[in-house]
C-alpha cells in the first residue's frame, strides 16, 4: 500500500517539474528509462517509510503497555491506600486495647489491695472477738452462786474512775477498759473509754468505735461534730466522741494514733472552718492512716472528699476522712489516741 502512493507522489513531482500534465504521458520506452532512473531513488524512501511504519507500530505497542502499567499502578496505589487505612485502624484498636489492659491492671491492683485490707480487717476483728470472749469470761467469773442458785452479779459495768476532771486517760490501769470522765477547755465534761493491754500499754482513749455491720453511723455532719452516743456505765459497741472534742484534744497537746494494725506517731485534727481536716500524721505505718493527711471529714450530707463525681461517705455508709485508698467498709473499727507528754 505504501509503494503505489510513493510512486504516484514521485511521478507527480516529476510532472510538476516538467510544468505540464500532458508531459507526464510517457511511452513504454520512456517509462522503462524513468523506472531505471527513479527506482534507485525511490527504493531507499520506500525502505525508510517501512521502518517508520514499524517504529510507529512498536511505539503504539509500547504506549499500550505503558498505559496498562499505569492503570495497574493506579489500582496498586488504591489498594495500598486501603491497606494503609486498615493499618491505621488496627493501630487505633491496639492503642485502645493497651488502654483497656492498663485499666484492667489498675482494677486488679485495686482488688488485690482490697483483699489485703480485708485480711487485715479480719485479723483485727478476730483480735477484738478474742478480747470480747475474754471479757465474757470475766463476767462468768463474777457470777455469784448462793445455795446452789445462780444469781448474776449486778449488770456488768466498766470500772468507774473518781470524778476528777482530767484531760487524759490514766497512764496506768489494771482493767482492760475503764470509764474516765475528762474535761478539756472549750467543752463540757464527758466520759470516754480508756484502754490498756500488756502489748501497747495504758493511756489509750477510744475516740471512735464501730462494731459490726450496721447503719448506726450513717449520720449527718452536725451529729458527728457533736459526738454520737455518750459513753455511760456499760461498755458501748458504737460511739464517737465528736469532731470538735477530737480537735480540742489533738490541737492542745501532742497525741499518737492507733487503729490496728496502723499507727501514727503524731495526729492533729483541724477545726470546723478547716473541715476537721487531718492536718498532720507523722511516722505512720500501715495501709490506711498514711493516706489521711490533708483529708477532710465527710458525711453523706456534706461531701468533702474532693471527688465531684463521687460521695464516698454515702458509698461506705458512714462518716469518715474519705479518700479512695482509705474509704472502705470497716466491720470493726477501733480508733484510739494517746497523749504523749
Amino acid at each position: 500500500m505504501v509503494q503505489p502512493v510513493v510512486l504516484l507522489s514521485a511521478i507527480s513531482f516529476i510532472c510538476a517539474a516538467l510544468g505540464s500534465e500532458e508531459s507526464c504521458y510517457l511511452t513504454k520506452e520512456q517509462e522503462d528509462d524513468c523506472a531505471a532512473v527513479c527506482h534507485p531513488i525511490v527504493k531507499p524512501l520506500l525502505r525508510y517509510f517501512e521502518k517508520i511504519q514499524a517504529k510507529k507500530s512498536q511505539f503504539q505497542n509500547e504506549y499500550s503497555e505503558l498505559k496498562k502499567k499505569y492503570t495497574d499502578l493506579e489500582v496498586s496505589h488504591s489498594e495500598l491506600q486501603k491497606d494503609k487505612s486498615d493499618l491505621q485502624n488496627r493501630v487505633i484498636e491496639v492503642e485502645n486495647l493497651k488502654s483497656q489492659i492498663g485499666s484492667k491492671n489498675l482494677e486488679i491492683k485495686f482488688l488485690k489491695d482490697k483483699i489485703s485490707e480485708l485480711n487485715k480487717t479480719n485479723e483485727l476483728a478476730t483480735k477484738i472477738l478474742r478480747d470480747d470472749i475474754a471479757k465474757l469470761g470475766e463476767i462468768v467469773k463474777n457470777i455469784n452462786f448462793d445455795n446452789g442458785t445462780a444469781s448474776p452479779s449486778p449488770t456488768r459495768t466498766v470500772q468507774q474512775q473518781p470524778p476528777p476532771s482530767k484531760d487524759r486517760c490514766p497512764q496506768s490501769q489494771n482493767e482492760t477498759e475503764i470509764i474516765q470522765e475528762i474535761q478539756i477547755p472549750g467543752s463540757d465534761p464527758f466520759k470516754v473509754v480508756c484502754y490498756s493491754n500488756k502489748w501497747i500499754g495504758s493511756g489509750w482513749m477510744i475516740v471512735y468505735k464501730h462494731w459490726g455491720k450496721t447503719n448506726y453511723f450513717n449520720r449527718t455532719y452536725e451529729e458527728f461534730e457533736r459526738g454520737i452516743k455518750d459513753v455511760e456505765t456499760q461498755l458501748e459497741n458504737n460511739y464517737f466522741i465528736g469532731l470538735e472534742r477530737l480537735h480540742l484534744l489533738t490541737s492542745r497537746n501532742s497525741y499518737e494514733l492507733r487503729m490496728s494494725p496502723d499507727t501514727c506517731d503524731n495526729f492533729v485534727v483541724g477545726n470546723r472552718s478547716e473541715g476537721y481536716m487531718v492536718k498532720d500524721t507523722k511516722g505512720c505505718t500501715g495501709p490506711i492512716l498514711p493516706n489521711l493527711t490533708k483529708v477532710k471529714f465527710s458525711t453523706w450530707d456534706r461531701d468533702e472528699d474532693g471527688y465531684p463525681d463521687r460521695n464516698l461517705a454515702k458509698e461506705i455508709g458512714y462518716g469518715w476522712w474519705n479518700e479512695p485508698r482509705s474509704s472502705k467498709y470497716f466491720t470493726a473499727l477501733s480508733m484510739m489516741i494517746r497523749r504523749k507528754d
Side-chain angles (χ1 to χ4, degrees):
M1 294 295 293
V2 175
Q3 292 178 359
V5 174
V6 174
L7 287 172
L8 290 173
S9 300
I11 292 169
S12 298
F13 176 78
I14 293 170
C15 291
L18 294 174
S20 172
E21 293 184 0
E22 293 180 356
S23 62
C24 288
Y25 293 97
L26 304 176
T27 63
K28 181 71 170 63
E29 182 181 353
Q30 288 175 330
E31 287 180 356
D32 292 338
D33 291 339
C34 182
V37 174
C38 292
H39 184 264
I41 298 172
V42 173
K43 186 176 180 180
L45 291 174
L46 294 175
R47 288 179 179 175
Y48 176 75
F49 283 119
E50 286 177 353
K51 290 181 180 181
I52 292 296
Q53 285 296 107
K55 286 289 185 180
K56 179 180 178 182
S57 177
Q58 181 183 348
F59 288 155
Q60 286 177 339
N61 291 335
E62 290 178 353
Y63 173 76
S64 297
E65 290 178 1
L66 288 173
K67 188 174 182 180
K68 182 177 181 302
K69 288 181 179 178
Y70 177 76
T71 302
D72 293 342
L73 286 173
E74 283 188 326
V75 173
S76 298
H77 178 72
S78 177
E79 292 175 350
L80 286 173
Q81 288 295 108
K82 182 177 181 300
D83 291 342
K84 178 183 177 182
S85 178
D86 291 342
L87 285 173
Q88 288 176 336
N89 290 335
R90 289 294 297 165
V91 168
I92 293 173
E93 291 177 2
V94 169
E95 290 297 325
N96 289 337
L97 287 173
K98 285 172 63 178
S99 177
Q100 292 175 11
I101 291 171
S103 177
K104 292 297 181 184
N105 287 337
L106 288 175
E107 290 181 12
I108 291 171
K109 183 180 182 302
F110 176 75
L111 290 174
K112 286 182 178 179
D113 292 342
K114 293 290 284 185
I115 291 171
S116 176
E117 291 174 5
L118 287 173
N119 288 335
K120 290 176 181 178
T121 301
N122 183 53
E123 292 175 3
L124 174 62
T126 302
K127 180 182 179 301
I128 293 175
L129 181 60
R130 286 175 181 169
D131 290 345
D132 286 347
I133 291 173
K135 293 169 188 173
L136 288 174
E138 293 177 6
I139 294 174
V140 172
K141 290 179 183 178
N142 290 331
I143 295 178
N144 297 319
F145 290 87
D146 185 11
N147 296 325
T149 302
S151 60
S153 61
T155 302
R156 197 245 176 172
T157 60
V158 181
Q159 180 183 344
Q160 293 279 351
Q161 292 290 66
S165 279
K166 297 182 178 179
D167 62 352
R168 65 188 299 172
C169 282
Q171 294 175 294
S172 64
Q173 62 189 60
N174 295 324
E175 297 278 341
T176 301
E177 292 180 344
I178 62 172
I179 299 294
Q180 170 79 47
E181 184 178 70
I182 66 173
Q183 170 76 61
I184 52 177
S187 172
D188 294 333
F190 60 97
K191 295 177 181 178
V192 297
V193 176
C194 297
Y195 183 85
S196 172
N197 69 36
K198 63 181 181 180
W199 294 283
I200 62 174
S202 301
W204 290 100
M205 181 189 304
I206 301 178
V207 295
Y208 194 157
K209 188 172 183 182
H210 177 181
W211 175 257
K213 190 173 184 178
T214 175
N215 292 325
Y216 187 77
F217 284 102
N218 194 18
R219 304 296 187 97
T220 65
Y221 193 86
E222 297 297 329
E223 288 177 287
F224 272 99
E225 185 176 36
R226 292 192 304 268
I228 297 173
K229 195 172 186 179
D230 291 333
V231 177
E232 299 297 340
T233 57
Q234 292 187 344
L235 186 65
E236 304 291 350
N237 284 330
N238 295 288
Y239 66 88
F240 178 54
I241 69 168
L243 291 167
E244 185 62 25
R245 290 170 177 170
L246 193 56
H247 158 66
L248 293 173
L249 284 167
T250 60
S251 62
R252 291 176 58 84
N253 296 287
S254 179
Y255 276 84
E256 56 186 317
L257 172 67
R258 184 176 188 86
M259 196 177 81
S260 185
D262 291 23
T263 60
C264 289
D265 292 336
N266 196 48
F267 179 63
V268 180
V269 175
N271 58 29
R272 179 183 174 87
S273 66
E274 296 169 313
Y276 296 108
M277 175 193 297
V278 177
K279 298 177 67 174
D280 186 23
T281 54
K282 293 179 181 177
C284 292
T285 62
I288 304 300
L289 295 182
N291 300 321
L292 295 183
T293 306
K294 306 304 179 184
V295 177
K296 295 181 179 181
F297 196 88
S298 290
T299 56
W300 66 267
D301 66 329
R302 184 164 175 170
D303 184 8
E304 298 276 14
D305 56 34
Y307 292 83
D309 57 338
R310 298 181 67 182
N311 185 326
L312 297 174
K314 185 178 291 186
E315 290 178 19
I316 63 175
Y318 55 87
W320 187 246
W321 291 273
N322 284 304
E323 65 93 36
R325 291 168 294 180
S326 65
S327 295
K328 65 176 186 175
Y329 188 87
F330 291 102
T331 54
L333 187 156
S334 182
M335 187 176 186
M336 303 185 293
I337 60 174
R338 180 168 65 181
R339 186 166 158 181
K340 297 171 66 175
D341 53 0

